[in-house]
Amino acid sequence: MSILEMKVPSPGESITEVEIATWLVKDGDYVEKDQAIAEVDSDKATLELPAEASGIITLKAEEGDAVAVGQVVCLIDTGAAKPAGGTSTEAKPAAEAPKAEAPKAEPVQAPAAATYATGSASPAAKKILDEKNIDPASVAGTGKDGRITKEDALNAKHSMGTPTGGPRGEERKKMSMLRRKVAERLVEAKNTTAMLTTFNEVNLTNVNKLRSEYKDAFKAKHGVGLGFMSFFTKAVTRALELYPDVNSMIDGQEQIKYDFCDISIAVSGPKGLMVPVVRNAELLSFRGVEAEIKRLATRARDGQITVDEMTGGTFTITNGGVFGSMLSTPIINPPQSGILGMHNIIERPIAVDGKVEIHPMMYVALSYDHRIIDGRESVGFLVAVKEALENPTELLMDNNPKKALEL
């Protein structure tokens, strides 16, 4: 017999512990090499654990257990032959069940006969029922011969009023390690930053016109849709270059500024909120941004995102509009200093050259760390985003949409 000890690999730098989220196999199953046998949660992502060899598996940890990196979580008997049917367990014939004995008849107690006391209230009980304006006939007595006692009267309730008897269950379950870490980071952001939010609104008429005109050709050539995220990402990278304080963070008593834009994109995954990073977004074309966002979002939703793909962002974009949010104050993603919140697009009447017109409008919000970003920079940044989105052909496409979209 040759036994292989499978240990928890390190999912990334600084991670010392993971949690067994789900076993994908059962104890005693035959597994193939590289087969996914478990999903493990770190404080940054959910990862699959592949079998290191083929053989019969013995589990050494339960779902929900927190295990240290390097700890043995299962054993694989590599010398075991693959059983017929692909599983190590064979169906055993069921043992002959013992003949069931006929149940003994239990004596049935006859209901107590009603007497003159049934349903009548004691003097103390009657006084309480009168004060509560409750008819004694609606109260079941528990006293001798069905008499209504003082305790029955105290416990009696009106048949009308607050409904009773409905389901009142509750469910308690342990939060995943990823969800717990998200909770910690949100509280940390509120407690350790001087967070402030500024708002503006954007007229997306010109963005909509560009998308309507070129989206079919863009999809046909590049295999990805021409969505709003590429416009917003390009507008953000332009604004970050104009206002570099927004593209910075605090490290102790120092401010670190970056000459690149690694944009974290908030994605709702099956395990909770994830923020994969689009690296050097300032260098990507519209096609590059759309393709990278699609790739990262798919990996996040399929549980395949890696820790490296989730770390190192310098600024975050979150889109609550896909869920119908009209306005919100997004929370900074530490140690970053700024986050842009997108919201739903609503056709609203606005004044244009002294006339009322209907346009697709979106509220945008910038939450920022006021310790290193002043009002001038924060408002200027958001205005720069607004200007780029309202005049994308000139400010984002150099007056040549076909070239910018690589058509």
Side-chain angles (χ1 to χ4, degrees):
M1 179 183 293
S2 179
I3 301 296
L4 170 69
E5 293 183 339
M6 270 200 60
K7 300 178 181 179
V8 178
S10 174
E13 187 179 354
S14 79
I15 297 178
T16 60
E17 186 180 69
V18 298
E19 187 176 281
I20 304 296
T22 307
W23 280 112
L24 304 177
V25 296
K26 298 188 295 293
D27 195 58
D29 279 356
Y30 185 90
V31 298
E32 300 283 358
K33 184 179 180 181
D34 296 328
Q35 174 187 344
I37 59 174
E39 290 181 350
V40 295
D41 284 342
S42 73
D43 57 10
K44 291 184 173 67
T46 299
L47 309 170
E48 286 188 346
L49 185 66
E52 297 177 4
S54 301
I56 302 294
I57 192 168
T58 302
L59 309 183
K60 292 296 183 181
E62 301 289 337
E63 290 184 358
D65 285 356
V67 293
V69 170
Q71 180 177 331
V72 175
V73 289
C74 65
L75 306 176
I76 298 179
D77 181 1
T78 59
K82 183 176 181 179
T87 176
S88 64
T89 54
E90 297 181 359
K92 297 180 180 180
E96 184 178 349
K99 294 182 179 180
E101 297 182 1
K104 297 180 179 179
E106 296 288 341
V108 179
Q109 186 175 359
T115 68
Y116 71 92
T118 303
S120 63
S122 67
K126 187 175 186 309
K127 182 175 183 298
I128 295 172
L129 293 175
D130 289 343
E131 291 174 351
K132 298 171 84 171
N133 196 25
I134 295 178
D135 184 359
S138 66
V139 180
T142 61
K144 184 178 180 182
D145 295 329
R147 183 183 292 274
I148 300 172
T149 65
K150 179 180 178 181
E151 185 177 356
D152 295 332
L154 289 171
N155 294 331
K157 296 180 180 179
H158 283 282
S159 58
M160 300 296 291
T162 303
T164 59
R168 296 178 58 81
E170 63 179 42
E171 180 184 2
R172 182 184 296 267
K173 66 176 183 179
K174 185 178 180 181
M175 293 191 298
S176 69
M177 182 175 286
L178 176 60
R179 173 57 66 182
R180 296 197 302 270
K181 188 61 177 180
V182 169
E184 291 173 7
R185 289 172 63 84
L186 292 176
V187 173
E188 175 191 355
K190 296 288 286 185
N191 292 340
T192 62
T193 64
M195 195 176 78
L196 196 62
T197 305
T198 185
F199 304 92
N200 214 316
E201 62 179 357
V202 178
N203 185 342
L204 292 171
T205 296
N206 291 328
V207 170
N208 281 351
K209 287 180 179 178
L210 287 168
R211 293 183 65 242
S212 297
E213 183 176 355
Y214 295 109
K215 66 180 181 180
D216 291 338
F218 189 87
K219 179 68 177 291
K221 182 168 183 179
H222 303 305
V224 291
L226 180 60
F228 288 99
M229 287 306 301
S230 55
F231 286 92
F232 273 83
T233 301
K234 298 293 287 182
V236 162
T237 58
R238 172 182 177 272
L240 289 175
E241 291 174 356
L242 295 174
Y243 297 92
D245 279 337
V246 183
N247 195 40
S248 69
M249 59 187 66
I250 290 179
D251 183 15
Q253 297 183 348
E254 297 178 335
Q255 178 183 6
I256 304 174
K257 293 186 178 182
Y258 300 97
D259 62 357
F260 57 88
C261 301
D262 283 356
I263 305 300
S264 304
I265 306 294
V267 176
S268 179
K271 298 287 185 176
L273 184 67
M274 297 182 180
V275 279
V277 181
V278 178
R279 309 286 179 189
N280 286 108
E282 79 281 4
L283 302 179
L284 296 179
S285 63
F286 282 82
R287 178 194 61 80
V289 171
E290 292 289 357
E292 183 65 359
I293 289 177
K294 180 180 179 180
R295 183 186 73 84
L296 292 171
T298 301
R299 287 175 60 79
R301 289 174 184 140
D302 292 345
Q304 298 175 341
I305 200 78
T306 66
V307 173
D308 289 341
E309 291 171 320
M310 300 264 291
T311 56
T314 63
F315 186 88
T316 295
I317 301 175
T318 180
N319 186 4
V322 296
F323 304 111
S325 172
M326 182 188 75
L327 193 62
S328 66
T329 55
I331 298 178
I332 294 171
N333 180 21
Q336 298 173 17
S337 299
I339 179 172
L340 179 73
M342 300 167 56
H343 301 93
N344 60 356
I345 302 170
I346 300 292
E347 289 194 341
R348 291 192 283 110
I350 62 172
V352 179
D353 297 328
K355 298 180 181 179
V356 176
E357 298 181 3
I358 305 296
H359 286 268
M361 305 297 295
M362 175 192 287
Y363 290 117
V364 288
L366 172 70
S367 292
Y368 60 98
D369 191 343
H370 207 356
R371 294 177 299 170
I372 56 174
I373 302 173
D374 294 329
R376 173 184 172 277
E377 283 73 26
S378 63
V379 173
F381 172 89
L382 201 54
V383 169
V385 170
K386 171 185 170 71
E387 290 172 346
L389 292 169
E390 291 185 342
N391 192 5
T393 300
E394 178 184 348
L395 299 181
L396 300 180
M397 297 178 166
D398 197 24
N399 290 311
N400 193 338
K402 287 189 175 182
K403 181 179 179 180
L405 299 175
E406 303 174 58
L407 298 177

